[in-house]
Amino acid sequence: MVCSRAMASKTPVGFIGLGNMGNPMAKNLVKHGYPVIAYDVFPEACKEFQDLGAQVTDSPADVAERADRIITMLPSSPNAVEVYTGANGILKKVKKGSLLIDSSTIDPAVSKELAKAVEKTGAVFMDAPVSGGVGAARAGNLTFMVGGVEQEFDAAKELLTCMGSNVVYCGEVGTGQAAKICNNMLLAISMIGTAEAMNLGIRLGLDPKLLAKILNMSSGRCWSSDTYNPVPGVMEGVPSANNYQGGFGTTLMAKDLGLAQISATNTKTPVPLGSQAHQIYRMMCAKGYALKDFSAVFQFLREEETL
């Protein structure tokens, strides 16, 4: 699919952060004919893009000097703050009227701070975290949850539709992040619940496939039970069928649950199950599950008799 408006405006797009997610996202921009100006803190991450004809720069500031539309995809809040406001950050050389889209998953309060700093330079900041993981990033069918000034949404959408199939406007800056962390908190809670129910049923003598079938035609059904079942052998083509490889890593889930905790504390919102889920995923990280898919909580519960 070719982006409808893309043909009219192939001006360069900056892309900062070429990791597991940023790499395939930036490649999709190249595929759609956008000249990409790339930067990553690890130079080897840029080599591939040099071969694809992208310009590689030495700092985020250099990217801002050469492109007035920039997408950032970074691991955490401190990385985002550094890339935007650091000594060689975007804001050192950003041009007035530039559009800066941050697709990192970070604390919504940090997104708001960055937006204020960006606004002072006369540029526009939008938060646009994604859901869908590495597979969807490669296929170009990510979901983007976008927060920022509504008048700028169409300009952002033009770029984001080259990398995603759903681009949803959520409201002011920070609401994209908010939608993402609320979804992932619910996902963690429902995955743990599915794992507990499946484990109990199996110990009571039920066949796991049969139990999953019953849950999925009953009121306990959820995405974790019917699309991403955590029990090995119940479904094909999911991480549980492949020793919990691939998918959405336990470390990343623990990080997103941590962001939900910070937001809950800031807004004085009680999230007892969200807190418990956060602790369970942190324990998993400490016990060798860090790089496994988050559905490995089923395996963890079976080993953790004392939990």
Side-chain angles (χ1 to χ4, degrees), residues 92-238:
K92 283 277 180 283
K93 295 194 174 166
V94 69
K95 291 180 274 202
K96 216 177 165 159
S98 291
L99 175 62
L100 311 177
I101 303 170
D102 182 34
S103 283
S104 322
T105 298
I106 60 172
D107 181 349
V110 173
S111 295
K112 288 176 183 168
E113 290 301 313
L114 290 177
K116 275 185 201 148
V118 168
E119 222 169 275
K120 283 181 187 146
T121 67
V124 174
F125 178 89
M126 301 187 97
D127 62 306
V130 301
S131 103
V134 175
R138 284 198 195 106
N141 58 13
L142 290 163
T143 293
F144 287 90
M145 292 151 271
V146 186
V149 182
E150 196 165 5
Q151 293 89 294
E152 302 293 338
F153 177 62
D154 283 343
K157 196 174 178 181
E158 181 201 323
L159 293 178
L160 300 180
T161 45
C162 297
M163 302 176 284
S165 50
N166 295 307
V167 183
V168 185
Y169 181 69
C170 297
E172 60 184 36
V173 169
T175 54
Q177 300 294 352
K180 164 87 189 257
I181 62 182
C182 290
N183 178 73
N184 282 16
M185 183 175 81
L186 178 57
L187 175 59
I189 293 166
S190 67
M191 180 56 80
I192 296 165
T194 301
E196 288 185 8
M198 291 296 296
N199 192 30
L200 177 61
I202 291 163
R203 292 193 176 176
L204 289 171
L206 283 159
D207 172 74
K209 273 191 172 168
L210 176 72
L211 177 55
K213 187 180 165 186
I214 293 166
L215 291 177
N216 292 336
M217 56 172 71
S218 307
S219 52
R221 182 181 68 83
C222 62
W223 187 85
S224 298
S225 71
D226 74 2
T227 306
Y228 212 83
N229 199 286
V231 181
V234 168
M235 292 180 75
E236 292 296 307
V238 291

Side-chain angles (χ1 to χ4, degrees), residues 56-67:
V56 172
T57 65
D58 295 329
S59 72
D62 290 345
V63 175
E65 202 171 20
R66 301 189 209 178

Side-chain angles (χ1 to χ4, degrees), residues 3 6-7 10-11 13-15 18 22-38 48-55 71 159 162-163:
C3 293
M7 293 306 157
K10 295 295 194 195
T11 56
V13 177
F15 207 108
L18 302 164
N23 175 303
M25 287 167 69
K27 278 183 187 158
N28 278 326
L29 284 174
V30 172
K31 252 183 227 164
H32 280 84
Y34 286 93
V36 167
I37 296 167
E48 210 181 335
F49 285 90
Q50 224 153 1
D51 301 341
L52 289 171
Q55 287 182 56
I71 296 162
L159 293 178
C162 297
M163 302 176 284

